[in-house]
């Protein structure tokens, strides 16, 4: 399908759950809206774009997504602006990354306008599900998976593209105690760490569980080769303010090119604060923490938003940072992002896609 405007068949849910949903008790990813989007890829093209009631779908138990992990996802958010309008934050960036993931996993791309239009159509149907409270939004989860009903480690010839939406509140509610992970590896050069491939997250579960058993909230992944350089923080990008400069690992095979990361960098440049995208060694961070030059550290991601680091542990040595409530930089980033998303300040970069 290559047409400019997408034909989407909408079947309304006759048993909506919106009225019974308590928006003050949202657990991230547990509450789904009344509808979802589904499309099929077969015979070399995308077709059957439909918005249908949220619910179970029938699938063969042999689909290769289940056996060989030909599956990936995206994550973005829609916001209820101050004047009641609805916006999606930078969906074009997610569309581009969606296709990067697809390429790496031998899966079909989805033209950017089909991706954006189908998501906008679903968000439009679910308008009333978008929370109005501060720090709340509608989380959007597009994903694609292989559906050929055969065993065999070859790319599937059929796929499903789906989109789910969830009203959500804050993901993290307190400063994070994190450690540098120096045993396990999330991604290696030549691998697919830069793709939002399902398998990357399965592989991270054991290291995460271990870190939590040790009393940490999150871990900072380090490079696969030497475990000497910071890469990401859980499923968020990691950023440090050292000596008044924003320093963050440069994107590469092993690092997810985050939309929040890109946004924070753009804002920081607007403010005239120096930005360095490069390799960042653990030694540099530890030294800066010891000398007091590490004045801020946080994770940046759509789900996590701006998640302040309270303390960092390296090989059993704990470095406590300043009280996040008093940090000028990450609070400014957090507040500016919210002001743009909720339409309280001018969107000079054109990041809000109005639905
Ligand atoms: C999704 C994700 C991020 C953050 O990307 P955003 O586009 O900002 O949401 C960072 N790292 C990993 C590993 C991720 O999966």
């Amino acid at each position: 399908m290559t047409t400019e405007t997408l034909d989407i068949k909408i079947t309304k849910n006759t048993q909506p759950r919106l009225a019974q949903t308590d928006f003050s008790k949202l657990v991230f990813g547990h509450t789904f809206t009344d509808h979802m989007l589904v499309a099929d890829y077969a015979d070399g093209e995308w077709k059957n774009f439909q918005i249908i009631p949220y619910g179970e779908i029938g699938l063969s138990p042999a689909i290769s997504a289940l056996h060989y992990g030909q599956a990936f996802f995206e994550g973005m958010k829609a916001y209820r602006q101050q004047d009641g309008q609805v916006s999606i934050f930078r969906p074009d960036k997610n569309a581009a990354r969606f296709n990067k993931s697809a390429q790496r996993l031998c899966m079909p791309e989805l033209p950017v306008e089909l991706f954006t239009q189908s998501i906008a159509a679903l968000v439009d149907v679910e308008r009333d599900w978008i929370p109005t409270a501060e720090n709340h939004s509608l989380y959007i989860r597009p994903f694609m998976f292989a559906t050929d009903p055969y065993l065999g480690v070859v790319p599937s010839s059929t796929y499903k593209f789906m989109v789910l939406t969830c009203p959500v509140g804050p993901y993290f509610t307190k400063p994070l105690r994190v450690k540098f992970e120096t045993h396990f590896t999330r991604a290696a050069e030549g691998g697919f760490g830069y793709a939002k491939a399902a398998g990357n997250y399965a592989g991270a579960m054991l290291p995460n569980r271990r870190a939590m058993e040790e009393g940490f909230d999150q871990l900072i992944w380090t490079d696969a080769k030497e475990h000497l350089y910071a890469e990401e923080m859980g499923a968020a990008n990691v950023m440090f303010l050292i000596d008044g400069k924003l320093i963050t690992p440069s994107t590469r095979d092993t690092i997810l090119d985050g939309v929040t990361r890109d946004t924070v960098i753009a804002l920081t440049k607007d403010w005239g604060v120096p930005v360095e995208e490069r390799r960042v060694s653990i030694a540099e961070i530890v030294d800066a923490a010891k000398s007091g030059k590490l004045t801020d550290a946080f994770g940046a991601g759509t789900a996590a938003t701006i998640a302040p680091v309270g303390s960092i542990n390296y090989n059993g040595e704990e470095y406590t940072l300043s009280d996040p409530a008093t940090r000028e930089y990450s609070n400014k980033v957090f507040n500016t992002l919210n002001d743009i998303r909720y339409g309280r300040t001018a969107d000079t970069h054109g990041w809000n896609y109005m639905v």
Side-chain angles (χ1 to χ4, degrees), residues 73-76 93-94 97 139 141 186 193-197 200-201 221 231-238 254-263 300-305 341:
F73 64 94
E74 266 303 322
M76 53 218 278
K93 294 285 284 180
N94 296 87
R97 191 171 66 196
Y139 183 74
R141 168 51 60 87
R186 190 188 88 88
Y194 67 89
K196 246 174 147 68
N200 283 330
Y201 304 84
W221 298 106
E231 299 226 304
E232 298 207 54
M233 193 176 97
N237 293 108
V238 67
T254 55
I255 293 179
L256 206 287
D257 187 357
V259 178
T260 317
R261 177 188 180 280
D262 184 79
T263 306
T302 297
T305 64
R341 287 162 169 167

Side-chain angles (χ1 to χ4, degrees), residues 67 75 180 355:
H67 299 268
F180 284 113
V355 177

Side-chain angles (χ1 to χ4, degrees), residues 168-279:
V168 298
Y171 194 82
F172 295 119
T173 48
K174 63 179 179 65
L176 304 173
R177 180 174 181 235
V178 306
K179 70 158 188 174
F180 284 113
E181 176 58 61
T182 53
H183 172 69
F184 291 111
T185 293
R186 190 188 88 88
E189 295 296 323
F192 54 94
Y194 67 89
K196 246 174 147 68
N200 283 330
Y201 304 84
M205 286 180 188
L206 180 66
N208 260 318
R209 177 188 280 176
R210 291 276 159 81
M212 290 197 176
E213 283 165 359
E214 292 166 33
F216 299 104
D217 303 305
Q218 272 292 327
L219 44 80
I220 296 181
W221 298 106
T222 57
D223 69 289
K225 217 184 249 174
E226 302 177 283
H227 294 298
L228 291 178
Y229 295 89
E231 299 226 304
E232 298 207 54
M233 193 176 97
N237 293 108
V238 67
M239 305 188 128
F240 305 95
L241 197 74
I242 300 178
D243 221 1
K245 287 183 286 204
L246 179 71
I247 300 176
T248 190
S250 39
T251 52
R252 59 190 69 230
D253 278 6
T254 55
I255 293 179
L256 206 287
D257 187 357
V259 178
T260 317
R261 177 188 180 280
D262 184 79
T263 306
V264 172
I265 290 172
L267 288 175
T268 304
K269 288 180 176 168
D270 286 353
W271 298 331
V273 174
V275 178
E276 293 181 7
E277 295 179 64
R278 56 167 169 81
R279 296 199 92 187

Side-chain angles (χ1 to χ4, degrees), residues 97-206:
R97 191 171 66 196
F98 187 88
N99 286 332
K100 272 213 266 180
S101 295
Q103 276 171 17
R104 181 62 180 83
L105 299 173
C106 284
M107 296 166 73
E109 292 183 37
L110 183 61
V112 171
E113 64 275 19
L114 295 191
F115 178 90
T116 313
Q117 282 178 33
S118 43
I119 284 163
L122 180 62
V123 169
D124 192 27
V125 167
E126 304 297 43
R127 237 165 225 278
D128 295 340
W129 277 92
I130 305 172
T132 48
E134 186 73 11
N135 298 321
H136 287 59
S137 58
L138 189 73
Y139 183 74
I140 304 168
R141 168 51 60 87
F143 57 111
M144 196 208 295
F145 58 96
T147 52
D148 276 5
Y150 318 115
L151 300 180
V153 190
V154 290
S156 183
S157 63
T158 63
Y159 296 87
K160 264 192 200 302
F161 168 58
M162 296 187 62
V163 186
L164 306 179
T165 44
C166 301
V168 298
Y171 194 82
F172 295 119
T173 48
K174 63 179 179 65
L176 304 173
R177 180 174 181 235
V178 306
K179 70 158 188 174
F180 284 113
E181 176 58 61
T182 53
H183 172 69
F184 291 111
T185 293
R186 190 188 88 88
E189 295 296 323
F192 54 94
Y194 67 89
K196 246 174 147 68
N200 283 330
Y201 304 84
M205 286 180 188
L206 180 66

